[in-house]
């Protein structure tokens, strides 16, 4: 829009070139390629017909321009020699190992963590056109995302909550690689390597904790055993015959072990007369 000298408003139209328009040179190159195919027929068919597998797709460019119709495959497709080029994209799931990353956790502990990432191509056209090397870009992004995600966690969370960390890393990667036509299917944390000094400290802490629990369990066992013995003594007190039966059972147990030493329990009530100093009473002699 602009103002003319007469005071009226006039419109100025600028015609921009159509980027999809085919120039004369391109038309001539395409015509020459068709002519070459006709002249060299049928030998040119070996170069014109290509095959991609069921798990592959082909993206075709003609003189640098993307051909209409999207991707080709699976099966047989036709290209013109000298003017058409194509790139095959594998749609199968690919896995790669993320190199060990030195990560500083939120509680200032340095750990080395490595992971494995599974991804596949869901949009072959975007994987070829929008990114130079989708495989290398995904690998670099996975290493960076791993450091960023682990840097927000404590060491305890890193060791005990691997599933949540893997899910968070998968979500971040999937969002970042979606414009490239890459879908991240799964992320798994393989190994977490701690410093040697930290491993020794954690082992000592775990050993002390186990010893403390063992002492508590032993004390609880002593309490239960003393209560059971108390109940057994009350039963024997009510029925003295039970003490004799228990004594015979103990002798049977000792003899089964083939031991040369036999212990005879001596009742403490029999010693009361000696402890009192009166001595054992002697029955009077009978008259002859």
């Amino acid at each position: 829009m602009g103002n003319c000298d007469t005071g009226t408003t006039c419109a100025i139209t600028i015609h921009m070139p159509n980027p999809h328009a085919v120039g004369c040179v391109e038309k001539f190159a395409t015509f020459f390629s068709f002519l070459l195919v006709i002249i060299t027929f049928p030998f040119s068919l070996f170069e014109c017909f290509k095959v991609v597998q069921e798990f592959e797709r082909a993206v075709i460019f003609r003189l640098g321009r993307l051909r209409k119709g999207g991707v080709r495959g699976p099966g047989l497709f036709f290209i013109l020699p000298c003017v058409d080029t194509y790139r095959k994209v594998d749609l199968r799931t690919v896995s790669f190992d993320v190199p060990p990353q030195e990560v500083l956790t939120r509680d200032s502990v340095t750990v080395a963590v490595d992971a494995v990432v599974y991804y596949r191509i869901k949009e072959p056209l975007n994987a070829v056109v929008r990114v130079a090397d989708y495989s290398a870009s995904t690998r670099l992004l996975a290493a960076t995302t791993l450091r960023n995600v682990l840097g927000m966690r404590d060491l305890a969370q890193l060791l005990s909550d691997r599933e949540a960390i893997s899910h968070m890393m998968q979500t971040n990667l999937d969002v970042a690689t979606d414009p490239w036509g890459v879908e991240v299917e799964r992320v798994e944390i393989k190994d977490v390597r701690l410093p040697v000094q930290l491993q020794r400290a954690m082992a000592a802490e775990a050993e002390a904790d186990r010893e403390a629990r063992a002492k508590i369990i032993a004390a609880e066992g002593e309490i239960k055993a003393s209560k059971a013995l108390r109940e057994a003594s009350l039963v024997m007190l009510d029925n003295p015959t039970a003490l004799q039966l228990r004594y015979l059972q103990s002798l049977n147990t000792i003899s089964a072990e083939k031991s040369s030493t036999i212990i005879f329990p001596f009742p403490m009530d029999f010693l009361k007369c000696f402890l009192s100093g009166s001595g054992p009473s002697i029955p009077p002699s009978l008259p002859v």
Side-chain angles (χ1 to χ4, degrees), residues 166-177:
S166 300
H167 181 70
M168 183 178 180
M169 184 177 174
Q170 175 188 352
T171 303
N172 294 343
L173 278 176
D174 199 19
V175 172
T177 58

Side-chain angles (χ1 to χ4, degrees), residues 13-30:
T13 304
I14 301 177
H15 295 280
M16 300 296 294
N18 186 7
H20 299 287
V22 180
C24 297
V25 178
E26 296 178 359
K27 292 181 180 180
F28 176 77
T30 305

Side-chain angles (χ1 to χ4, degrees), residues 5 15 29-30 36 49 74 91 107 112-113 138-139 146 148 158 166 198 214 236 243 249 262 284:
D5 296 337
H15 295 280
T30 305
L36 183 63
F49 288 100
L91 302 183
D107 52 352
V113 183
T138 304
R139 293 171 186 267
L146 179 62
N148 294 338
L158 178 60
S166 300
L198 183 59
M236 292 180 182
L243 180 61
Q249 185 179 3
I262 298 178

Side-chain angles (χ1 to χ4, degrees), residues 56-285:
E56 295 177 334
R57 298 294 184 270
V59 181
I60 305 176
F61 297 90
R62 175 165 295 176
L63 296 175
R65 295 175 181 268
L66 182 65
R67 285 192 59 181
K68 296 181 180 179
V71 297
R72 304 294 196 277
L76 186 69
F77 63 94
F78 178 83
I79 64 172
L80 287 176
C82 303
V83 295
D84 286 350
T85 57
Y86 73 96
R87 286 185 57 183
K88 290 192 296 185
V89 180
D90 198 332
L91 302 183
R92 293 177 293 183
T93 300
V94 181
S95 63
F96 65 90
D97 292 328
V98 180
Q101 305 293 318
E102 294 288 339
V103 180
L104 184 65
T105 60
R106 191 168 58 180
D107 52 352
S108 301
V109 178
T110 302
V111 295
V113 183
D114 56 350
V116 59
V117 178
Y118 299 86
Y119 74 94
R120 68 178 184 90
I121 304 300
K122 65 176 182 179
E123 294 291 340
L125 190 61
N126 293 340
V128 174
V129 176
R130 294 194 174 186
V131 61
D133 189 348
Y134 62 86
S135 178
S137 300
T138 304
R139 293 171 186 267
L140 293 176
L141 184 61
T144 305
T145 305
L146 179 62
R147 290 195 298 267
N148 294 338
V149 171
L150 297 181
M152 299 184 296
R153 302 296 180 108
D154 297 334
L155 179 61
Q157 297 176 349
L158 178 60
L159 297 176
S160 62
D161 204 8
R162 293 189 180 185
E163 185 176 355
I165 295 175
S166 300
H167 181 70
M168 183 178 180
M169 184 177 174
Q170 175 188 352
T171 303
N172 294 343
L173 278 176
D174 199 19
V175 172
T177 58
D178 185 68
W180 304 341
V182 178
E183 180 183 2
V184 179
E185 296 181 340
R186 190 178 183 88
V187 178
E188 291 292 340
I189 303 297
K190 289 178 59 178
D191 189 20
V192 179
R193 290 186 291 274
L194 304 176
V196 179
Q197 297 82 357
L198 183 59
Q199 293 181 12
R200 293 175 180 174
M202 294 178 66
E205 181 182 0
E207 183 177 0
D209 190 17
R210 286 193 298 269
E211 290 180 356
R213 288 200 301 267
K215 291 180 180 179
I216 293 175
I217 293 174
E220 292 177 352
E222 292 292 338
I223 294 174
K224 293 180 181 179
S226 62
K227 291 181 180 179
L229 290 174
R230 178 178 177 275
E231 294 177 359
S233 64
L234 294 178
V235 172
M236 292 180 182
L237 182 62
D238 295 338
N239 191 356
T241 309
L243 180 61
Q244 184 66 20
L245 294 176
R246 180 59 183 163
Y247 167 67
L248 295 176
Q249 185 179 3
S250 300
L251 290 179
N252 186 25
T253 304
I254 294 173
S255 62
E257 297 178 356
K258 298 180 181 180
S259 176
S260 59
T261 303
I262 298 178
I263 301 174
F264 291 93
F266 194 78
M268 296 299 295
D269 294 339
F270 186 76
L271 298 177
K272 289 182 178 179
C273 58
F274 296 99
L275 296 177
S276 61
S278 59
S281 60
I282 300 177
S285 58

